[in-house]
C-alpha cells in the first residue's frame, strides 16, 4: 500500500479545484467505505450548479459527466437537463469514457471502476480497492471488451473481457511512481499517456507496448487531445501546451496558451480546440492548436474540461457544475 505523499497543485488552486484536476491530496479512509447508491432520476439545476464535475464525454448524442459524491449524470438535450445514473458509490469519480453509445466505464478514488451497457443510466461495479489507496485518474475505452485505466503512482490497469477482470501491469521502468493523469487515443491505433513531472508515454500498437518519449516540458501534464487525423496535443502546468504531428518525436509550443494551468479541453467538429483550466481560464484555437486566443466564461472558476456543442458554444465542467461558453466572440 502506497500512501499519498505530495500536493501536486497546492497553492495554485482552491481545495475543490485541486480535486477537480484529479491530483489527490488525501484518500478517503479505507475504514469508511462509501455505500453503493441505488438512487437515480432527475437532478435539479441548482444541484448541478453546486457539483464538482471532474470529467465529461459523449455516449453517442448523450452527454455523460461525473464528479463528487458518486454523481454520474446524463443529458439528452445538450446540458439543459440532467438525470443521475444508479449503482455507484458515494465516492469521488474522476473520469469517464465510452466505446460506443451504450458501453462505457467510469473511474474514481479507491481504485473504483464501474461499467455501463445502457449509456450511463445504470452502472455495475467491477473494481473497488480502497486499501491500496491508489486513485484512478484517466480512462480509455477502445471497444466493448478492451479498456485501460491509469492513475496514481504509475497505476496501469487493462481489461480484455469487458471488465470481468482487470490486470495490473507495469509500463514504466525502474521504481518510477509518478502519477499518470490522462490517456487518449490519436492517429491510427496510437495512444498517449501524460502525467506528473513530464511523464509522456506513447504506444503505436493500441497499448500492447509503451515507449517513454522525451517531453517538451519537464513539468506535469493534465491532459491530451487528438488533433486532426494524426496530431496530438498535450497540456498542463503553467499553461504549457504543445502539438506533435509525428507521434511525439518532435513538438511545437502553442502560442497564447499560458500562463495559467490547463486542465482539460475538447475538439469541435470544425477542428477548433478549446482548452480550460484554473482561475476561469478558457482559450480557443482555430489553427489546429498552433495558437490560442482567450475566451470569457460567465463564471470565474476552475474548469476541468470543455465539451464543444456546436461551432459557437461549448459546455464547461468544473467546480461550479456546468455552464455554457460562447465561442463565436473569439478571434478567427
Amino acid at each position: 500500500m502506497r500512501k499519498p505523499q505530495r500536493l501536486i497543485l497546492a497553492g495554485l488552486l482552491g481545495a475543490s479545484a485541486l480535486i477537480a484536476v484529479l491530483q489527490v491530496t488525501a484518500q478517503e479512509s479505507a475504514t469508511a467505505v462509501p455505500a453503493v447508491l441505488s438512487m437515480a432520476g432527475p437532478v435539479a439545476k441548482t444541484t448541478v450548479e453546486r457539483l464538482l464535475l471532474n470529467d465529461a464525454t459523449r455516449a453517442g448524442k448523450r452527454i455523460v459527466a461525473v464528479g463528487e459524491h458518486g454523481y454520474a449524470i446524463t443529458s439528452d438535450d445538450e446540458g439543459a437537463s440532467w438525470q443521475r445514473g444508479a449503482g455507484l458509490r458515494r465516492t469521488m469519480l474522476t473520469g469517464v469514457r465510452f466505446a460506443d453509445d451504450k458501453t462505457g466505464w467510469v473511474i474514481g478514488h479507491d481504485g473504483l471502476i464501474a461499467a455501463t451497457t445502457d449509456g450511463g443510466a445504470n452502472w455495475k461495479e467491477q473494481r473497488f480497492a480502497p486499501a491500496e489507496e491508489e486513485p484512478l485518474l484517466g480512462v480509455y475505452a477502445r471497444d466493448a471488451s478492451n479498456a485501460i485505466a491509469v492513475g496514481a503512482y504509475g497505476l496501469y490497469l487493462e481489461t480484455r473481457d469487458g471488465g470481468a477482470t482487470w490486470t495490473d501491469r507495469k509500463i514504466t521502468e525502474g521504481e518510477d511512481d509518478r502519477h499518470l493523469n490522462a490517456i487518449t487515443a490519436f492517429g491510427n491505433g496510437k495512444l498517449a499517456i501524460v502525467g506528473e513531472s513530464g511523464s509522456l508515454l506513447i504506444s503505436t500498437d493500441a497499448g500492447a507496448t509503451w515507449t517513454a518519449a522525451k517531453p517538451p516540458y519537464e513539468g506535469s501534464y493534465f491532459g491530451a487531445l487528438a488533433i486532426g487525423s494524426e496530431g496530438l496535443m498535450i497540456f498542463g502546468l503553467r499553461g504549457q501546451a504543445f502539438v506533435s504531428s509525428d507521434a511525439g518525436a518532435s513538438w511545437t509550443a502553442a502560442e497564447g496558451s499560458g500562463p495559467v494551468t490547463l486542465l482539460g479541453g475538447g475538439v469541435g467538429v470544425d477542428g477548433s480546440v478549446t482548452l480550460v483550466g484554473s482561475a476561469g481560464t478558457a482559450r480557443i484555437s482555430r489553427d489546429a492548436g498552433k495558437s490560442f486566443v482567450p475566451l470569457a466564461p460567465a463564471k470565474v472558476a476552475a474548469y476541468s474540461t470543455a465539451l464543444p456543442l456546436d461551432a459557437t458554444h461549448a459546455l464547461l465542467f468544473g467546480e461550479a457544475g456546468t455552464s455554457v461558453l460562447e465561442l463565436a466572440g473569439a478571434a478567427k
Side-chain angles (χ1 to χ4, degrees), residues 250-295:
S250 62
W251 296 91
T252 301
E255 297 180 5
S257 59
V260 181
T261 293
L262 299 169
L263 307 176
V267 180
V269 293
D270 61 351
S272 62
V273 183
T274 303
L275 295 180
V276 297
S278 60
T281 295
R283 302 179 185 278
I284 190 168
S285 170
R286 300 188 187 277
D287 56 7
K290 297 181 180 67
S291 63
F292 285 82
V293 294
L295 297 167

Short mmCIF file of all heavy atoms in Angstrom, two decimals, residues 250-295:
data_model
loop_
_atom_site.label_atom_id
_atom_site.label_comp_id
_atom_site.label_asym_id
_atom_site.label_seq_id
_atom_site.Cartn_x
_atom_site.Cartn_y
_atom_site.Cartn_z
N SER A 250 8.70 15.02 -32.09
CA SER A 250 9.02 16.44 -32.03
C SER A 250 7.77 17.22 -31.65
O SER A 250 6.65 16.75 -31.87
CB SER A 250 9.59 16.94 -33.36
OG SER A 250 8.60 16.80 -34.39
N TRP A 251 7.99 18.42 -31.08
CA TRP A 251 6.89 19.20 -30.56
C TRP A 251 7.02 20.66 -30.93
O TRP A 251 8.14 21.18 -31.05
CB TRP A 251 6.82 19.08 -29.03
CG TRP A 251 6.53 17.70 -28.56
CD1 TRP A 251 7.44 16.73 -28.25
CD2 TRP A 251 5.24 17.12 -28.36
NE1 TRP A 251 6.82 15.58 -27.86
CE2 TRP A 251 5.46 15.78 -27.92
CE3 TRP A 251 3.93 17.58 -28.49
CZ2 TRP A 251 4.42 14.91 -27.62
CZ3 TRP A 251 2.89 16.73 -28.20
CH2 TRP A 251 3.13 15.41 -27.77
N THR A 252 5.87 21.32 -31.09
CA THR A 252 5.81 22.76 -31.31
C THR A 252 4.97 23.39 -30.21
O THR A 252 3.86 22.92 -29.94
CB THR A 252 5.19 23.09 -32.68
OG1 THR A 252 5.97 22.49 -33.70
CG2 THR A 252 5.13 24.60 -32.89
N ALA A 253 5.50 24.42 -29.57
CA ALA A 253 4.77 25.09 -28.50
C ALA A 253 3.60 25.88 -29.07
O ALA A 253 3.73 26.56 -30.09
CB ALA A 253 5.69 26.01 -27.72
N ALA A 254 2.43 25.78 -28.42
CA ALA A 254 1.26 26.54 -28.84
C ALA A 254 1.39 27.98 -28.35
O ALA A 254 1.69 28.21 -27.18
CB ALA A 254 0.00 25.91 -28.28
N GLU A 255 1.17 28.93 -29.21
CA GLU A 255 1.23 30.33 -28.84
C GLU A 255 -0.04 30.74 -28.11
O GLU A 255 -1.14 30.33 -28.48
CB GLU A 255 1.41 31.20 -30.08
CG GLU A 255 2.70 30.96 -30.83
CD GLU A 255 2.83 31.86 -32.04
OE1 GLU A 255 1.96 32.74 -32.24
OE2 GLU A 255 3.80 31.68 -32.81
N GLY A 256 0.11 31.54 -27.05
CA GLY A 256 -1.04 32.08 -26.35
C GLY A 256 -1.75 31.11 -25.44
O GLY A 256 -2.89 31.36 -25.03
N SER A 257 -1.10 30.02 -25.07
CA SER A 257 -1.78 29.01 -24.24
C SER A 257 -1.62 29.27 -22.74
O SER A 257 -2.39 28.74 -21.94
CB SER A 257 -1.23 27.62 -24.56
OG SER A 257 0.16 27.56 -24.33
N GLY A 258 -0.64 30.04 -22.32
CA GLY A 258 -0.35 30.24 -20.89
C GLY A 258 -0.83 31.57 -20.38
O GLY A 258 -1.45 32.34 -21.11
N PRO A 259 -0.46 31.87 -19.09
CA PRO A 259 0.40 31.09 -18.19
C PRO A 259 -0.38 30.27 -17.13
O PRO A 259 0.24 29.65 -16.28
CB PRO A 259 1.19 32.18 -17.49
CG PRO A 259 0.20 33.30 -17.35
CD PRO A 259 -0.68 33.24 -18.59
N VAL A 260 -1.71 30.30 -17.15
CA VAL A 260 -2.49 29.62 -16.12
C VAL A 260 -2.63 28.14 -16.46
O VAL A 260 -2.79 27.76 -17.62
CB VAL A 260 -3.88 30.28 -15.98
CG1 VAL A 260 -4.69 29.59 -14.90
CG2 VAL A 260 -3.73 31.76 -15.65
N THR A 261 -2.56 27.30 -15.44
CA THR A 261 -2.60 25.85 -15.61
C THR A 261 -3.82 25.39 -16.41
O THR A 261 -4.95 25.79 -16.13
CB THR A 261 -2.57 25.15 -14.26
OG1 THR A 261 -1.29 25.39 -13.66
CG2 THR A 261 -2.78 23.66 -14.38
N LEU A 262 -3.59 24.53 -17.39
CA LEU A 262 -4.63 23.98 -18.25
C LEU A 262 -4.96 22.57 -17.79
O LEU A 262 -4.06 21.76 -17.56
CB LEU A 262 -4.14 23.96 -19.70
CG LEU A 262 -3.80 25.33 -20.29
CD1 LEU A 262 -3.08 25.18 -21.62
CD2 LEU A 262 -5.05 26.19 -20.45
N LEU A 263 -6.25 22.28 -17.67
CA LEU A 263 -6.70 21.04 -17.05
C LEU A 263 -7.46 20.11 -17.99
O LEU A 263 -7.51 18.90 -17.76
CB LEU A 263 -7.59 21.36 -15.85
CG LEU A 263 -6.99 22.31 -14.81
CD1 LEU A 263 -8.01 22.62 -13.72
CD2 LEU A 263 -5.73 21.73 -14.23
N GLY A 264 -8.07 20.65 -19.03
CA GLY A 264 -8.86 19.80 -19.92
C GLY A 264 -9.28 20.56 -21.15
O GLY A 264 -8.97 21.75 -21.32
N GLY A 265 -10.01 19.89 -22.03
CA GLY A 265 -10.46 20.56 -23.23
C GLY A 265 -11.15 19.60 -24.19
O GLY A 265 -11.37 18.43 -23.89
N GLY A 266 -11.47 20.12 -25.36
CA GLY A 266 -12.16 19.32 -26.35
C GLY A 266 -11.94 19.88 -27.74
O GLY A 266 -11.53 21.03 -27.91
N VAL A 267 -12.22 19.04 -28.75
CA VAL A 267 -12.07 19.41 -30.15
C VAL A 267 -13.44 19.41 -30.80
O VAL A 267 -14.19 18.43 -30.70
CB VAL A 267 -11.13 18.43 -30.88
CG1 VAL A 267 -10.99 18.82 -32.34
CG2 VAL A 267 -9.77 18.39 -30.20
N GLY A 268 -13.79 20.52 -31.46
CA GLY A 268 -15.08 20.64 -32.11
C GLY A 268 -15.13 19.96 -33.46
O GLY A 268 -14.10 19.56 -34.02
N VAL A 269 -16.33 19.83 -34.01
CA VAL A 269 -16.49 19.20 -35.32
C VAL A 269 -15.83 20.03 -36.41
O VAL A 269 -15.50 19.50 -37.48
CB VAL A 269 -17.98 18.99 -35.64
CG1 VAL A 269 -18.60 17.98 -34.70
CG2 VAL A 269 -18.75 20.31 -35.59
N ASP A 270 -15.61 21.32 -36.16
CA ASP A 270 -14.94 22.18 -37.12
C ASP A 270 -13.43 22.18 -36.95
O ASP A 270 -12.72 22.91 -37.64
CB ASP A 270 -15.48 23.61 -37.01
CG ASP A 270 -15.25 24.23 -35.63
OD1 ASP A 270 -14.83 23.49 -34.71
OD2 ASP A 270 -15.48 25.45 -35.48
N GLY A 271 -12.92 21.36 -36.01
CA GLY A 271 -11.49 21.29 -35.77
C GLY A 271 -10.96 22.26 -34.75
O GLY A 271 -9.77 22.22 -34.41
N SER A 272 -11.81 23.16 -34.25
CA SER A 272 -11.35 24.11 -33.24
C SER A 272 -11.03 23.38 -31.94
O SER A 272 -11.66 22.37 -31.60
CB SER A 272 -12.42 25.18 -32.99
OG SER A 272 -13.61 24.59 -32.49
N VAL A 273 -10.03 23.89 -31.20
CA VAL A 273 -9.58 23.27 -29.97
C VAL A 273 -9.85 24.23 -28.82
O VAL A 273 -9.37 25.38 -28.84
CB VAL A 273 -8.08 22.94 -30.01
CG1 VAL A 273 -7.64 22.24 -28.72
CG2 VAL A 273 -7.75 22.09 -31.23
N THR A 274 -10.61 23.79 -27.82
CA THR A 274 -10.89 24.59 -26.64
C THR A 274 -10.17 23.99 -25.45
O THR A 274 -10.32 22.80 -25.17
CB THR A 274 -12.40 24.66 -26.35
OG1 THR A 274 -13.09 25.17 -27.49
CG2 THR A 274 -12.69 25.56 -25.16
N LEU A 275 -9.38 24.81 -24.75
CA LEU A 275 -8.69 24.38 -23.54
C LEU A 275 -9.18 25.22 -22.37
O LEU A 275 -9.43 26.43 -22.51
CB LEU A 275 -7.17 24.56 -23.68
CG LEU A 275 -6.47 23.69 -24.72
CD1 LEU A 275 -4.97 23.99 -24.72
CD2 LEU A 275 -6.71 22.20 -24.45
N VAL A 276 -9.33 24.59 -21.20
CA VAL A 276 -9.79 25.28 -20.00
C VAL A 276 -8.90 24.90 -18.83
O VAL A 276 -8.14 23.94 -18.88
CB VAL A 276 -11.26 24.94 -19.68
CG1 VAL A 276 -12.18 25.41 -20.79
CG2 VAL A 276 -11.42 23.43 -19.45
N GLY A 277 -9.02 25.69 -17.74
CA GLY A 277 -8.19 25.40 -16.58
C GLY A 277 -8.58 26.21 -15.36
O GLY A 277 -9.74 26.56 -15.16
N SER A 278 -7.59 26.52 -14.55
CA SER A 278 -7.84 27.20 -13.28
C SER A 278 -8.14 28.68 -13.51
O SER A 278 -7.89 29.23 -14.58
CB SER A 278 -6.62 27.04 -12.37
OG SER A 278 -5.47 27.60 -12.99
N ALA A 279 -8.71 29.30 -12.47
CA ALA A 279 -8.98 30.75 -12.46
C ALA A 279 -9.81 31.22 -13.64
O ALA A 279 -9.61 32.32 -14.17
CB ALA A 279 -7.66 31.52 -12.41
N GLY A 280 -10.76 30.42 -14.07
CA GLY A 280 -11.65 30.82 -15.15
C GLY A 280 -11.00 30.82 -16.52
O GLY A 280 -11.52 31.45 -17.45
N THR A 281 -9.91 30.12 -16.68
CA THR A 281 -9.19 30.10 -17.96
C THR A 281 -9.95 29.33 -19.03
O THR A 281 -10.39 28.21 -18.80
CB THR A 281 -7.80 29.48 -17.79
OG1 THR A 281 -7.02 30.31 -16.95
CG2 THR A 281 -7.09 29.33 -19.13
N ALA A 282 -10.10 29.94 -20.21
CA ALA A 282 -10.68 29.29 -21.38
C ALA A 282 -10.04 29.91 -22.61
O ALA A 282 -10.00 31.14 -22.74
CB ALA A 282 -12.19 29.44 -21.41
N ARG A 283 -9.54 29.06 -23.52
CA ARG A 283 -8.87 29.54 -24.72
C ARG A 283 -9.28 28.68 -25.90
O ARG A 283 -9.59 27.50 -25.73
CB ARG A 283 -7.35 29.51 -24.54
CG ARG A 283 -6.87 30.36 -23.37
CD ARG A 283 -5.36 30.29 -23.18
NE ARG A 283 -4.95 31.00 -21.99
CZ ARG A 283 -4.76 32.31 -21.90
NH1 ARG A 283 -4.95 33.05 -22.98
NH2 ARG A 283 -4.39 32.88 -20.77
N ILE A 284 -9.25 29.28 -27.10
CA ILE A 284 -9.65 28.54 -28.30
C ILE A 284 -8.61 28.70 -29.39
O ILE A 284 -8.00 29.76 -29.53
CB ILE A 284 -11.04 28.99 -28.80
CG1 ILE A 284 -11.55 28.04 -29.88
CG2 ILE A 284 -11.02 30.44 -29.29
CD1 ILE A 284 -13.01 28.24 -30.24
N SER A 285 -8.41 27.62 -30.14
CA SER A 285 -7.54 27.63 -31.30
C SER A 285 -8.34 27.24 -32.52
O SER A 285 -9.09 26.26 -32.49
CB SER A 285 -6.38 26.65 -31.11
OG SER A 285 -5.66 26.48 -32.32
N ARG A 286 -8.13 27.98 -33.61
CA ARG A 286 -8.79 27.65 -34.87
C ARG A 286 -7.77 27.27 -35.94
O ARG A 286 -8.09 27.22 -37.13
CB ARG A 286 -9.66 28.81 -35.34
CG ARG A 286 -10.75 29.19 -34.34
CD ARG A 286 -11.71 30.22 -34.90
NE ARG A 286 -12.64 30.70 -33.89
CZ ARG A 286 -13.76 30.08 -33.53
NH1 ARG A 286 -14.08 28.94 -34.10
NH2 ARG A 286 -14.55 30.60 -32.60
N ASP A 287 -6.53 26.99 -35.51
CA ASP A 287 -5.48 26.59 -36.45
C ASP A 287 -4.79 25.31 -35.99
O ASP A 287 -3.57 25.20 -35.99
CB ASP A 287 -4.47 27.72 -36.65
CG ASP A 287 -3.83 28.19 -35.34
OD1 ASP A 287 -4.07 27.55 -34.29
OD2 ASP A 287 -3.08 29.17 -35.37
N ALA A 288 -5.60 24.34 -35.55
CA ALA A 288 -5.11 23.02 -35.14
C ALA A 288 -4.14 23.08 -33.96
O ALA A 288 -3.20 22.29 -33.88
CB ALA A 288 -4.45 22.31 -36.32
N GLY A 289 -4.39 24.01 -33.04
CA GLY A 289 -3.61 24.08 -31.82
C GLY A 289 -2.31 24.85 -31.90
O GLY A 289 -1.54 24.87 -30.93
N LYS A 290 -2.04 25.50 -33.02
CA LYS A 290 -0.80 26.26 -33.14
C LYS A 290 -0.82 27.52 -32.30
O LYS A 290 0.21 27.95 -31.74
CB LYS A 290 -0.52 26.60 -34.61
CG LYS A 290 -0.32 25.39 -35.52
CD LYS A 290 -0.02 25.84 -36.94
CE LYS A 290 0.19 24.64 -37.86
NZ LYS A 290 -1.06 23.87 -38.03
N SER A 291 -1.99 28.15 -32.21
CA SER A 291 -2.11 29.39 -31.42
C SER A 291 -3.50 29.47 -30.80
O SER A 291 -4.47 28.92 -31.35
CB SER A 291 -1.86 30.62 -32.30
OG SER A 291 -2.83 30.72 -33.33
N PHE A 292 -3.58 30.16 -29.65
CA PHE A 292 -4.82 30.28 -28.91
C PHE A 292 -5.13 31.74 -28.61
O PHE A 292 -4.22 32.56 -28.45
CB PHE A 292 -4.74 29.51 -27.58
CG PHE A 292 -4.84 28.02 -27.74
CD1 PHE A 292 -3.72 27.27 -28.09
CD2 PHE A 292 -6.04 27.36 -27.55
CE1 PHE A 292 -3.80 25.90 -28.24
CE2 PHE A 292 -6.14 25.99 -27.70
CZ PHE A 292 -5.01 25.26 -28.05
N VAL A 293 -6.44 32.03 -28.52
CA VAL A 293 -6.89 33.34 -28.08
C VAL A 293 -7.83 33.13 -26.90
O VAL A 293 -8.50 32.09 -26.79
CB VAL A 293 -7.62 34.12 -29.20
CG1 VAL A 293 -6.65 34.46 -30.32
CG2 VAL A 293 -8.79 33.33 -29.74
N PRO A 294 -7.89 34.09 -25.96
CA PRO A 294 -8.70 33.90 -24.75
C PRO A 294 -10.20 34.02 -25.01
O PRO A 294 -10.64 34.73 -25.89
CB PRO A 294 -8.20 35.02 -23.83
CG PRO A 294 -7.69 36.07 -24.75
CD PRO A 294 -7.11 35.34 -25.93
N LEU A 295 -10.96 33.28 -24.20
CA LEU A 295 -12.41 33.38 -24.15
C LEU A 295 -12.81 33.90 -22.78
O LEU A 295 -11.99 33.99 -21.87
CB LEU A 295 -13.04 32.00 -24.39
CG LEU A 295 -12.77 31.37 -25.76
CD1 LEU A 295 -13.18 29.91 -25.75
CD2 LEU A 295 -13.50 32.13 -26.86
#
